[in-house]
Amino acid sequence: MKYWHIFLAFFIPGILGYGGGPASIPLVENEVVRRYEWMSVQDFSEMLALANSLPGPIATKMAGFIGYDEGGVLGAFVGVFAAVAPSLIIMILLLGVLYKYKDSSKVKRLTQYVRPVIAILLGVMAWRFFQESYDGVGLWQTALITVSSYLLIERMKVHPAFVIAAALVYGGLFLG
Amino acid sequence: MRTHWDLFIAFFRIGMLGYGGGPGSIPLIHKEVVEKYKWMDDEDFGDLLALANTLPGPIATKLAGYIGHNVSGFWGMINAVLATIIPTIALMIILLTSLSSIDDLPWVQGMTAAVIPVVGMMLAVLTWQFLNKAGKGMGWLQTGIMSVVIFALLYFLNVHPGIVIGVLLIIALVMKDKSKKEEKTEDKLEEKAEQRDRSQGGQSS
């Protein structure tokens, strides 16, 4: 039963995550935090921070880690398989058909229509993270870290891994 | 054996250097697959990328799996996918499990507290990117209306996002097209697809 749940928790985001790996982040959160309650919002954000500062595809890192956390090595295997296999199998089997329609407006609309859903889910998730932070360390710390990390990553193009490392040091020294 | 080793090394490098999630590794895949090992030409790669983008799921593994399959069949596919994902998953598990064993120390809690707003900010930026693409693709009015309706469905009526996405996908496929441009491009694509089928058939037999 557990492995079936792990399978479902990553199969659904894998098959619905239009827009590559990042699109499946909020869908994974929906399954893992809200439906199965395997992790708290805080655990999930910790995991996401670490996943973001490591290289490689994000969806499989989440699937591998959460699967492992819930069901050991077999759990990790099931999670990764569920995340990767369905769309890969579709791609290899249906290549001819897909090729024919890849520029049709119907197929393009598929990705189009899913974008607002992903945006809403991501937005709400961001909001929950800020709220969690507000409850934990208060308004000023939350604002300070948010604004400075935004400036560093988005404006000064510092690599996220460095910014996360800096945040870890700051938190260890001043927020402990 | 040589090919398998090449596949493994190519996708191992891609996995270990692809910062920024799956999409961050696309240029690296191009470099290895097109420039270094010449498994595909530029045009094929562009087509593959467009195709992979119209399908759901993680992009890096779709590309790795397909290219691996093309280069050396089923085991090529398994090899390329594993080389892409195993190293980073292993790192992740090692780091997180060692972190959770010292979770109760106050300075560790301080560290995680400081990381939450950073991730929140990154998610907010990602939110904006998805909204912006949606707005540019189908207009801001439609995006705005859709967003409000979707928000209400998800958070006031508690509908599972899978159901919302499923319904939208059906609408996208059923809705009638008005453009005529489509027919022209479709003919051209059909030709290409046939060529591709033929070359594929040759390889698998």
Side-chain angles (χ1 to χ4, degrees):
Chain A
M1 201 59 186
K2 171 136 272 177
Y3 295 110
W4 173 239
H5 284 161
I6 294 175
F7 180 84
L8 281 183
F10 293 100
F11 174 77
I12 294 171
I15 211 73
L16 295 174
Y18 279 84
S24 61
I25 296 173
L27 296 167
V28 169
E29 196 253 9
N30 188 73
E31 302 300 315
V32 168
V33 178
R34 305 216 307 164
R35 188 207 284 244
Y36 296 115
E37 293 174 0
W38 288 328
M39 296 176 117
S40 64
V41 174
Q42 180 168 5
D43 288 342
F44 192 80
S45 75
E46 258 178 68
M47 180 205 66
L48 207 54
L50 189 70
N52 260 322
S53 52
L54 288 173
I58 182 87
T60 51
K61 269 182 291 188
M62 292 190 293
F65 173 72
I66 298 168
Y68 177 80
D69 214 29
E70 283 305 308
V73 174
L74 183 60
F77 178 80
V78 171
V80 171
F81 180 81
V84 170
S87 56
L88 181 55
I89 292 170
I90 295 175
M91 178 134 162
I92 290 176
L93 290 185
L94 298 182
L95 194 82
V97 185
L98 286 167
Y99 233 84
K100 201 167 149 184
Y101 294 108
K102 89 174 183 337
D103 279 347
S104 93
S105 46
K106 278 176 196 274
V107 170
K108 283 195 168 152
R109 261 203 313 256
L110 291 180
T111 324
Q112 279 292 344
Y113 278 24
V114 174
R115 274 186 193 136
V117 187
I118 303 296
I120 295 288
L121 289 166
L122 282 167
V124 170
M125 207 163 118
W127 173 252
R128 272 213 296 269
F129 278 31
F130 287 132
Q131 212 164 25
E132 175 95 9
S133 175
Y134 174 78
D135 291 343
V137 295
L139 179 64
W140 290 111
Q141 289 290 353
T142 302
L144 174 76
I145 299 170
T146 305
V147 171
S148 42
S149 64
Y150 174 78
L151 292 175
L152 287 168
I153 295 177
E154 298 298 326
R155 291 297 157 91
M156 298 163 69
K157 303 287 168 199
V158 177
H159 196 282
F162 294 121
V163 177
I164 285 174
L168 287 172
V169 172
Y170 176 83
L173 292 176
F174 299 109
L175 300 176
Chain B
M1 213 55 233
R2 175 84 204 152
T3 330
H4 270 293
W5 178 244
D6 285 348
L7 265 178
F8 180 82
I9 287 294
F11 283 98
F12 178 79
R13 270 199 295 259
I14 291 162
M16 288 310 279
L17 297 173
Y19 276 92
S25 59
I26 293 173
L28 297 170
I29 299 179
H30 180 264
K31 195 174 155 69
E32 298 285 335
V33 170
V34 178
E35 289 172 29
K36 182 155 191 212
Y37 292 103
K38 300 189 171 60
W39 286 319
M40 297 177 115
D41 61 31
D42 248 329
E43 200 187 336
D44 282 343
F45 188 80
D47 284 347
L48 176 65
L49 196 57
L51 189 65
N53 266 322
T54 62
L55 286 172
I59 183 89
T61 52
K62 266 183 293 188
L63 293 176
Y66 178 77
I67 294 165
H69 185 263
N70 238 12
V71 172
S72 84
F74 177 79
W75 291 108
M77 174 184 86
I78 299 286
N79 185 357
V81 171
L82 291 183
T84 313
I85 64 175
I86 292 284
T88 55
I89 293 176
L91 267 178
M92 182 87 188
I93 291 174
I94 294 166
L95 286 174
L96 273 175
T97 42
S98 53
L99 192 73
S100 69
S101 64
I102 50 168
D103 224 1
D104 293 333
L105 300 172
W107 60 272
V108 177
Q109 285 177 344
M111 287 168 88
T112 54
V115 156
I116 295 175
V118 181
V119 183
M121 185 280 296
M122 295 205 289
L123 290 171
V125 170
L126 212 52
T127 307
W128 166 244
Q129 284 168 357
F130 271 90
L131 268 185
N132 196 25
K133 270 191 211 157
K136 282 184 179 151
M138 51 189 187
W140 287 99
L141 183 66
Q142 195 182 345
T143 305
I145 295 171
M146 274 177 80
S147 300
V148 172
V149 174
I150 291 163
F151 182 80
L153 285 172
L154 291 176
Y155 294 100
F156 292 124
L157 303 173
N158 270 317
V159 180
H160 189 282
I163 294 169
V164 177
I165 294 177
V167 170
L168 282 172
L169 293 179
I170 292 169
I171 295 174
L173 286 175
V174 169
M175 234 169 75
K176 284 208 177 84
D177 292 315
K178 288 168 197 161
S179 64
K180 287 175 188 165
K181 221 177 80 191
E182 199 197 329
E183 282 173 31
K184 266 190 249 163
T185 49
E186 228 173 89
D187 285 344
K188 235 199 295 174
L189 283 163
E190 219 164 321
E191 256 170 53
K192 245 194 223 170
E194 271 166 30
Q195 277 175 2
R196 159 69 58 135
D197 284 346
R198 253 177 271 141
S199 65
Q200 262 222 315
Q203 259 177 4
S204 57
S205 62

